[in-house]
Amino acid sequence: MTVQSDPEPPRMTSAQAWVAYLSKVELPVLANTLRRINELTQSSNSTVSELANVILNDAQLTSQVLRLSNTVFYNQTRTQVGTVSRAITLIGFDAVKAMAISSLLVDTLLQRSDRPHLLKCLARALHAAVQARCLLPKRSTQALEEVFIGALLMNIGELAFWSCDTEQASELEHRLRQGGATLEAQKTVLHCTFTEITRGLVEAWSLGPFIRDVVAPGQARSPATRLVRHSVELARLSEQGWRGPEMDHLLDKLAEDTGQAPGTLRDQLKVNADEAAKMAVSMGIAEVTDLLPGAGDRAMEEPLSPTPVRDPALQLAILQELTRTMTEKPDINEVCQLVTEGIHRAVGMERVALLMSDPTGQNLVPRRIAGRATDAWKEAFVIPRDGTGDLGALLPSGTPSLYQPSARASGIAADPWLGRVPALTGALVANGRLVGMFYADNADSKAVPSDGQLSAFSHFLQNAQLCLTILSKR
């Protein structure tokens, strides 16, 4: 039997061809979700629940939005946020939109490629977005998020291109490594420029009038558009340092944009770059922090992403949010998301998964995951309901408990720790039948969960089980 490989994508010879290929072949889900989010946020009739539902349809996106909602960058009141609806109410429609778009962009593109050029472009985009938001003089919520998204997506064509495994991407990568002029190399290999692809995607994906103005040719049409363009240029130049003729000239322009003196502004830009590094860590892309200005200085400081530790105050806040959610309107998706986040962030477990029955009813597979190094779980984390197989020993029985691997535990090839390190497991039961389970471990640290963590883990599972029981009786 001959195994047929996927056909090679055609060679694109125009910006229009690239836009069609990226929109319909490579990134249709990203395009449709971005379009849907923008439609909702531009409509005066949209409700909190409509935006929340778009986000809740993607477990990873939900987790990212909640994580960002509890960072100082977005939530200066430090009020704990446990649900997407609460985030929209407390932090604002536009802020949650910005979180959703940035998280969606990062997760989608990095799942497709690890090309160095893609990482570099993502680092620039995030840096520019944070700079624009922090530098904006008039700081209404809508304006803040508008410039953030504008800077983030100003080079969406280049980001989309580098996420695709095409012959032309490899060819352009080779030319750039040989030191070819960037713009000329684009025209030779792509038969157009990244800027032209970006303008086409902005229209095709309905990214909104502000971004359309940002990427339009000619003079900036508003102070906000001008600030975004300068922030994107700043992100590029800062990779060579904070001083130099080009940077000094750009600082003069930014001083006009912001009303600050160039000397004061230079110091502020460095602080903003550190803020971009913190946001990268919050978004789960700590690897791009090495590509941001000041990476050497940050390496001498405390690690940006410490292993989670148990946080009783956060645990109480999320449990209170769970109680409120179930009192007002029990929703199993919202409750399970809260429980997953609670186990990860409050109980302090490095990696967490909620597994539920697959369509065959024979296996438990991931529905929600949180933590680093969990991408392989989406396909490889399968526990047969009869307890057989390489991961069958993880199947819980009775109350939540501590799993201790045997000396002969083999685990699976896709994950070096799953089934081989101590973990917490707990069952979800409906009408006397096992329908799901929660799993949590500490990955490579191999740390044995404490009695306090097991107790807190049990509290969260009790809430998920209570919600499931209530709904099963309806």
Side-chain angles (χ1 to χ4, degrees):
M1 177 178 176
T2 302
V3 178
Q4 293 185 343
S5 58
D6 293 334
E8 285 290 326
R11 287 187 68 87
M12 265 57 70
T13 57
S14 68
Q16 293 82 1
W18 278 110
V19 170
Y21 176 72
L22 293 169
S23 302
K24 298 177 182 179
V25 178
E26 293 283 359
L27 299 165
V29 176
L30 176 63
N32 290 334
T33 306
L34 287 177
R35 187 181 295 113
R36 179 62 178 146
I37 290 173
N38 275 290
E39 287 173 353
L40 285 175
T41 52
Q42 289 171 22
S43 170
S44 58
N45 297 322
S46 297
T47 64
V48 168
S49 61
E50 286 177 313
L51 178 57
N53 286 338
V54 172
I55 295 171
L56 287 169
N57 280 335
D58 185 324
Q60 185 70 12
L61 179 58
T62 303
S63 178
Q64 288 279 45
V65 166
L66 290 175
R67 186 174 292 111
L68 290 172
S69 296
N70 286 287
T71 62
V72 177
F73 186 78
Y74 280 108
N75 185 352
Q76 296 184 358
T77 68
R78 297 178 183 267
T79 302
Q80 289 297 330
V81 175
T83 67
V84 174
S85 298
R86 176 69 170 153
I88 297 171
T89 302
L90 179 68
I91 302 172
F93 213 85
D94 294 293
V96 173
K97 169 188 173 180
M99 295 178 211
I101 288 177
S102 56
S103 298
L104 187 67
L105 187 72
V106 166
D107 288 344
T108 301
L109 298 185
L110 284 183
Q111 283 175 10
R112 298 173 51 80
S113 174
D114 59 356
R115 287 181 186 272
H117 284 287
L118 176 60
L119 289 175
K120 190 172 184 178
C121 288
L122 277 173
R124 281 183 184 174
L126 183 60
H127 184 198
V130 171
Q131 290 285 3
R133 191 181 191 275
C134 292
L135 292 174
L136 187 69
K138 295 180 180 179
R139 303 175 65 85
S140 73
T141 302
Q142 181 177 0
L144 285 173
E145 308 318 332
E146 197 168 56
V147 297
F148 180 91
I149 296 171
L152 186 75
L153 300 181
M154 185 173 169
N155 290 314
I156 184 64
E158 185 174 6
L159 285 165
F161 171 83
W162 288 122
S163 76
C164 301
D165 185 19
T166 64
E167 181 183 344
Q168 283 165 284
S170 298
E171 184 179 335
L172 181 58
E173 195 171 42
H174 175 73
R175 284 177 177 265
L176 295 177
R177 277 200 301 265
Q178 300 302 312
T182 303
L183 195 60
E184 288 306 313
Q186 291 173 33
K187 292 178 180 177
T188 300
V189 178
L190 281 66
H191 305 282
C192 61
T193 64
F194 287 142
T195 299
E196 291 171 323
I197 297 174
T198 290
R199 288 171 183 158
L201 291 180
V202 168
E203 293 295 335
W205 295 5
S206 303
L207 297 183
F210 181 75
I211 300 177
R212 191 181 303 123
D213 286 346
V214 167
V215 303
Q219 295 291 320
R221 300 181 185 180
S222 70
T225 301
R226 175 183 160 96
L227 175 64
V228 166
R229 292 182 181 181
H230 288 158
S231 296
V232 171
E233 179 66 7
L234 169 72
R236 183 185 67 83
L237 289 178
S238 64
E239 293 167 7
Q240 309 303 319
W242 295 108
R243 294 190 179 276
E246 285 186 281
M247 177 62 78
D248 292 343
H249 182 60
L250 180 60
L251 276 177
D252 289 337
K253 294 180 180 179
L254 282 168
E256 293 179 24
D257 294 341
T258 62
Q260 297 185 53
T264 303
L265 186 58
R266 200 189 307 267
D267 292 336
Q268 180 61 47
L269 297 180
K270 296 177 183 178
V271 173
N272 296 347
D274 287 339
E275 196 65 52
K278 293 176 184 176
M279 172 163 276
V281 171
S282 297
M283 295 177 70
I285 51 171
E287 60 268 35
V288 307
T289 59
D290 290 339
L291 303 174
L292 293 168
D297 295 334
R298 286 191 296 273
M300 303 298 293
E301 300 172 356
E302 291 293 320
L304 285 168
S305 183
T307 298
V309 295
R310 188 174 168 225
D311 185 339
L314 178 57
Q315 178 183 329
L316 178 61
I318 296 179
L319 286 171
Q320 289 173 337
E321 186 74 14
L322 274 165
T323 301
R324 185 188 66 79
T325 299
M326 287 197 290
T327 301
E328 293 179 357
K329 184 181 179 182
D331 181 294
I332 191 62
N333 290 322
E334 197 166 345
V335 167
C336 285
Q337 182 60 44
L338 275 169
V339 171
T340 303
E341 285 291 306
I343 295 170
H344 178 50
R345 293 168 43 229
V347 178
M349 299 303 295
E350 184 73 25
R351 310 190 300 176
V352 183
L354 163 64
L355 297 97
M356 302 291 285
S357 295
D358 68 0
T360 69
Q362 302 301 310
N363 304 303
L364 299 180
V365 296
R367 283 286 183 84
R368 297 186 183 278
I369 56 177
R372 63 183 180 86
T374 54
D375 283 346
W377 287 9
K378 297 173 184 176
E379 301 294 334
F381 197 171
V382 179
I383 300 179
R385 291 168 57 91
D386 60 6
T388 61
D390 294 330
L391 299 178
L394 295 177
L395 197 70
S397 59
T399 59
S401 60
L402 173 64
Y403 163 80
Q404 286 281 21
S406 70
R408 299 187 302 275
S410 59
I412 58 174
D415 186 291
W417 309 297
L418 199 57
R420 300 171 184 159
V421 297
L424 299 175
T425 63
L428 289 176
V429 179
N431 299 319
R433 182 171 178 269
L434 178 71
V435 295
M437 62 174 283
F438 277 93
Y439 168 91
D441 69 23
N442 285 312
D444 54 338
S445 75
K446 301 182 181 179
V448 178
S450 66
D451 290 342
Q453 286 179 308
L454 175 57
S455 175
F457 179 81
S458 299
H459 282 309
F460 279 110
L461 256 69
Q462 286 169 8
N463 280 272
Q465 182 61 63
L466 178 59
C467 182
L468 195 61
T469 301
I470 292 171
L471 294 174
S472 66
K473 293 180 179 179
R474 290 185 171 182

